[in-house]
Amino acid sequence: MDPVAADPIGKSVSAPSDGSDLRQGALLVFGAALAWSFGGAIARGLVVADPWTIIAWRSFFAAVFLLGFMLWRDGPAGTVRLFRTMGLPGVGVALCFATASISFVVALGYTTVANILLMQAGVPLIAALLGVVFLREAVDRVTWAAILAVIGGIAVMVSDSFAASVSFIGDGLALLIAVVFAAATVITRRYSSVRMTPAVCLGVMIGTVVGVILSSGLIVSATDFGLLFLFGAFNLGLGMAMFATGARLIPSALAALISTMEPVLGPVWVWLIHAEVPAPRTLMGGGVVFLALIAHILWQWRLNRRTALPIPS
């Protein structure tokens, strides 16, 4: 999931006047959510047991893909300029993304894919809460209600840890992923000049180095090698490239709404392919988080459309 998938306070841009751009942007963002949704299913198919080996290869393939994408899109000089101009905010986003991508792989060894993805659905509203604390941003009552609903939903999901149904470590890492993604969203909103593609590319480069250092060995089977390529280049790299391209063409509220297809579809693929059935509390808490997010985004989108309507003379 991308850190700039949504602005929870509703600072979305107006829709482009070109309908073809709007359709293209929506399709690209949907393609990104679809690619991201296969992450858990791909990971569950891996035989290699060492999570750091998985992190090293996944991050490496994602870094190669994203670097190639920037070279193709911006050229060598433009790619260097993107890295040089992202500054400390870009490094901060990169560290957040590195933490999230590493935690995702490690968490898969302790908890279900549904727990991880459904907690991520609350990222925009967690970002709103962080914005209040660190940026002193004003939050309306509807957003506060949605934040409280998300906190309640996450509490229900995490309560499975205390009932020994799932690991506290796994749920803790899943919550960490949501928090660092939300932090990246706040950084991006505070420093609007931060470009996501080079920041994410730096993040997966960091993940590659960390994975290589902590890995017990990088030799994997041919099957695992192919799955790791898909895990990095397709699931992470292609998804990020499509989102970074498409999100610029549509309002942020619409991008956030389409991106919710990731937590919806992700557990479905794992259930169909690997028969991993989410726990009842996961479904209950995740449903609360998902409904709160959808309701808030639809309300915000309607509000933005209303304010954008011309005043009758």
Side-chain angles (χ1 to χ4, degrees):
M1 182 178 183
D2 179 62
V4 291
D7 184 339
I9 309 301
K11 298 178 182 176
S12 58
V13 296
S14 58
S17 57
D18 189 346
S20 63
D21 282 351
L22 186 65
R23 287 191 297 272
Q24 181 185 8
L27 286 173
L28 284 168
V29 172
F30 177 78
L34 184 62
W36 288 331
S37 72
F38 282 99
I42 294 171
R44 287 291 187 250
L46 291 167
V47 176
V48 57
D50 182 18
W52 301 108
T53 301
I54 298 173
I55 290 166
W57 280 114
R58 185 197 190 207
S59 301
F60 171 76
F61 285 128
V64 170
F65 185 95
L66 289 169
L67 193 57
F69 172 72
M70 286 189 290
L71 288 170
W72 169 77
R73 185 190 63 184
D74 303 295
T79 298
V80 172
R81 184 170 60 252
L82 284 174
F83 279 104
R84 291 182 60 183
T85 57
M86 69 180 183
L88 287 178
V91 174
V93 170
L95 290 173
C96 287
F97 193 85
T99 301
S101 60
I102 290 171
S103 298
F104 177 76
V105 175
V106 177
L108 285 170
Y110 293 93
T111 191
T112 64
V113 172
N115 271 41
I116 299 171
L117 293 181
L118 289 172
M119 281 195 191
Q120 286 186 43
V123 165
L125 298 177
I126 295 174
L129 187 58
L130 293 178
V132 172
V133 174
F134 294 103
L135 301 183
R136 299 288 187 262
E137 292 177 332
V139 175
D140 53 64
R141 286 180 292 180
V142 174
T143 301
W144 272 120
I147 289 171
L148 292 175
V150 167
I151 293 173
I154 290 176
V156 172
M157 295 173 68
V158 174
S159 67
D160 254 354
S161 303
F162 300 104
S165 299
V166 292
S167 166
F168 181 77
I169 296 175
D171 274 357
L173 288 171
L175 185 57
L176 175 63
I177 294 168
V179 170
V180 294
F181 265 137
T185 303
V186 173
I187 294 172
T188 304
R189 187 164 68 247
R190 174 65 178 81
Y191 301 96
S192 58
S193 60
V194 176
R195 293 289 296 273
M196 280 300 97
T197 310
V200 172
C201 188
L202 177 60
V204 292
M205 288 177 180
I206 294 171
T208 303
V209 174
V210 172
V212 169
I213 292 173
L214 297 179
S215 171
S216 60
L218 297 176
I219 305 237
V220 297
S221 68
T223 301
D224 275 351
F225 191 81
L227 287 173
L228 287 166
F229 173 79
L230 288 175
F231 203 16
F234 167 73
N235 169 246
L236 191 55
L238 178 62
M240 185 62 226
M242 285 193 294
F243 189 92
T245 304
R248 294 178 177 275
L249 302 176
I250 61 177
S252 62
L254 179 57
L257 182 60
I258 297 173
S259 295
T260 56
M261 287 297 98
E262 180 195 4
V264 170
L265 294 175
V268 174
W269 305 139
V270 178
W271 171 56
L272 292 176
I273 298 171
H274 302 288
E276 180 178 290
V277 182
R281 294 188 192 184
T282 295
L283 294 176
M284 290 172 55
V288 171
V289 171
F290 183 71
L291 289 176
L293 177 65
I294 292 294
H296 182 267
I297 291 175
L298 289 176
W299 174 82
Q300 192 68 66
W301 193 16
R302 180 181 178 185
L303 182 64
N304 290 343
R305 286 187 63 186
R306 185 184 303 167
T307 56
L309 289 176
I311 300 176
S313 56

